[in-house]
mmCIF file of all heavy atoms in Angstrom:
data_model
loop_
_atom_site.group_PDB
_atom_site.id
_atom_site.type_symbol
_atom_site.label_atom_id
_atom_site.label_comp_id
_atom_site.label_asym_id
_atom_site.label_seq_id
_atom_site.Cartn_x
_atom_site.Cartn_y
_atom_site.Cartn_z
ATOM 1 N N PRO E 550 102.312 36.589 6.592
ATOM 2 C CA PRO E 550 102.871 37.942 6.499
ATOM 3 C C PRO E 550 101.966 38.972 7.166
ATOM 4 O O PRO E 550 100.869 38.639 7.607
ATOM 5 C CB PRO E 550 102.945 38.167 4.992
ATOM 6 C CG PRO E 550 101.764 37.414 4.459
ATOM 7 C CD PRO E 550 101.581 36.217 5.361
ATOM 8 N N CYS E 551 102.418 40.241 7.168
ATOM 9 C CA CYS E 551 101.653 41.280 7.883
ATOM 10 C C CYS E 551 100.385 41.681 7.146
ATOM 11 O O CYS E 551 99.450 42.180 7.729
ATOM 12 C CB CYS E 551 102.531 42.506 8.123
ATOM 13 S SG CYS E 551 102.668 43.617 6.706
ATOM 14 N N ARG E 552 100.333 41.450 5.845
ATOM 15 C CA ARG E 552 99.205 41.774 4.962
ATOM 16 C C ARG E 552 99.048 43.270 4.722
ATOM 17 O O ARG E 552 98.113 43.688 4.054
ATOM 18 C CB ARG E 552 97.857 41.230 5.508
ATOM 19 C CG ARG E 552 97.854 39.757 5.857
ATOM 20 C CD ARG E 552 96.647 39.458 6.759
ATOM 21 N NE ARG E 552 96.840 38.259 7.545
ATOM 22 C CZ ARG E 552 96.344 37.084 7.259
ATOM 23 N NH1 ARG E 552 95.613 36.925 6.196
ATOM 24 N NH2 ARG E 552 96.578 36.050 8.040
ATOM 25 N N MET E 553 99.897 44.117 5.291
ATOM 26 C CA MET E 553 99.707 45.571 5.239
ATOM 27 C C MET E 553 100.802 46.298 4.459
ATOM 28 O O MET E 553 100.581 47.393 3.955
ATOM 29 C CB MET E 553 99.728 46.148 6.672
ATOM 30 C CG MET E 553 98.797 45.483 7.639
ATOM 31 S SD MET E 553 97.105 45.886 7.289
ATOM 32 C CE MET E 553 96.974 47.369 8.267
ATOM 33 N N CYS E 554 102.005 45.741 4.406
ATOM 34 C CA CYS E 554 103.132 46.492 3.835
ATOM 35 C C CYS E 554 103.070 46.471 2.310
ATOM 36 O O CYS E 554 102.256 45.777 1.701
ATOM 37 C CB CYS E 554 104.451 45.907 4.343
ATOM 38 S SG CYS E 554 104.857 44.287 3.643
ATOM 39 N N SER E 555 103.955 47.209 1.674
ATOM 40 C CA SER E 555 103.918 47.317 0.204
ATOM 41 C C SER E 555 104.191 45.956 -0.437
ATOM 42 O O SER E 555 103.596 45.620 -1.461
ATOM 43 C CB SER E 555 104.925 48.356 -0.277
ATOM 44 O OG SER E 555 106.221 47.966 0.105
ATOM 45 N N PHE E 556 105.073 45.157 0.171
ATOM 46 C CA PHE E 556 105.360 43.831 -0.406
ATOM 47 C C PHE E 556 104.111 42.949 -0.366
ATOM 48 O O PHE E 556 103.784 42.268 -1.333
ATOM 49 C CB PHE E 556 106.514 43.154 0.336
ATOM 50 C CG PHE E 556 107.789 43.926 0.264
ATOM 51 C CD1 PHE E 556 108.241 44.640 1.367
ATOM 52 C CD2 PHE E 556 108.535 43.976 -0.905
ATOM 53 C CE1 PHE E 556 109.411 45.383 1.302
ATOM 54 C CE2 PHE E 556 109.704 44.715 -0.979
ATOM 55 C CZ PHE E 556 110.149 45.421 0.129
ATOM 56 N N CYS E 557 103.447 42.974 0.779
ATOM 57 C CA CYS E 557 102.216 42.187 0.907
ATOM 58 C C CYS E 557 101.188 42.650 -0.118
ATOM 59 O O CYS E 557 100.558 41.844 -0.801
ATOM 60 C CB CYS E 557 101.656 42.305 2.314
ATOM 61 S SG CYS E 557 102.565 41.337 3.528
ATOM 62 N N LYS E 558 101.057 43.972 -0.261
ATOM 63 C CA LYS E 558 100.037 44.497 -1.180
ATOM 64 C C LYS E 558 100.362 44.175 -2.628
ATOM 65 O O LYS E 558 99.468 44.006 -3.442
ATOM 66 C CB LYS E 558 99.893 46.003 -0.978
ATOM 67 C CG LYS E 558 99.172 46.319 0.319
ATOM 68 C CD LYS E 558 98.899 47.787 0.440
ATOM 69 C CE LYS E 558 97.918 48.046 1.557
ATOM 70 N NZ LYS E 558 97.784 49.480 1.831
ATOM 71 N N TYR E 562 104.511 38.622 -0.797
ATOM 72 C CA TYR E 562 104.465 38.608 0.662
ATOM 73 C C TYR E 562 105.611 37.826 1.293
ATOM 74 O O TYR E 562 105.890 37.952 2.471
ATOM 75 C CB TYR E 562 103.101 38.123 1.170
ATOM 76 C CG TYR E 562 102.727 36.701 0.793
ATOM 77 C CD1 TYR E 562 103.185 35.620 1.534
ATOM 78 C CD2 TYR E 562 101.889 36.452 -0.284
ATOM 79 C CE1 TYR E 562 102.828 34.329 1.193
ATOM 80 C CE2 TYR E 562 101.527 35.165 -0.636
ATOM 81 C CZ TYR E 562 102.008 34.091 0.113
ATOM 82 O OH TYR E 562 101.651 32.810 -0.227
ATOM 83 N N LEU E 564 108.519 38.578 0.858
ATOM 84 C CA LEU E 564 109.519 39.608 1.166
ATOM 85 C C LEU E 564 109.070 40.504 2.318
ATOM 86 O O LEU E 564 109.787 41.435 2.693
ATOM 87 C CB LEU E 564 109.801 40.459 -0.082
ATOM 88 C CG LEU E 564 110.251 39.659 -1.319
ATOM 89 C CD1 LEU E 564 110.473 40.593 -2.511
ATOM 90 C CD2 LEU E 564 111.530 38.865 -1.035
ATOM 91 N N CYS E 565 107.896 40.240 2.888
ATOM 92 C CA CYS E 565 107.376 41.040 4.008
ATOM 93 C C CYS E 565 108.374 41.010 5.169
ATOM 94 O O CYS E 565 108.749 39.944 5.640
ATOM 95 C CB CYS E 565 106.028 40.465 4.471
ATOM 96 S SG CYS E 565 105.397 41.207 5.979
ATOM 97 N N PRO E 566 108.816 42.185 5.636
ATOM 98 C CA PRO E 566 109.802 42.185 6.722
ATOM 99 C C PRO E 566 109.221 41.675 8.041
ATOM 100 O O PRO E 566 109.973 41.313 8.947
ATOM 101 C CB PRO E 566 110.220 43.658 6.833
ATOM 102 C CG PRO E 566 109.122 44.433 6.183
ATOM 103 C CD PRO E 566 108.497 43.541 5.156
ATOM 104 N N ASP E 567 107.892 41.655 8.140
ATOM 105 C CA ASP E 567 107.267 41.243 9.399
ATOM 106 C C ASP E 567 106.637 39.855 9.311
ATOM 107 O O ASP E 567 105.799 39.503 10.146
ATOM 108 C CB ASP E 567 106.218 42.277 9.821
ATOM 109 C CG ASP E 567 106.850 43.629 10.115
ATOM 110 O OD1 ASP E 567 107.934 43.629 10.735
ATOM 111 O OD2 ASP E 567 106.291 44.662 9.695
ATOM 112 N N ILE E 568 107.018 39.077 8.309
ATOM 113 C CA ILE E 568 106.425 37.745 8.170
ATOM 114 C C ILE E 568 106.764 36.900 9.403
ATOM 115 O O ILE E 568 107.866 36.974 9.947
ATOM 116 C CB ILE E 568 106.905 37.056 6.863
ATOM 117 C CG1 ILE E 568 106.027 35.847 6.535
ATOM 118 C CG2 ILE E 568 108.376 36.669 6.940
ATOM 119 C CD1 ILE E 568 106.169 35.345 5.095
HETATM 120 ZN ZN1 LIG I 1993 103.939 42.663 4.939
#
Side-chain angles (χ1 to χ4, degrees):
C551 81
R552 308 163 203 260
M553 308 288 272
C554 72
S555 61
F556 299 105
C557 284
K558 287 186 167 172
Y562 62 83
L564 304 179
C565 172
D567 296 319
I568 195 164

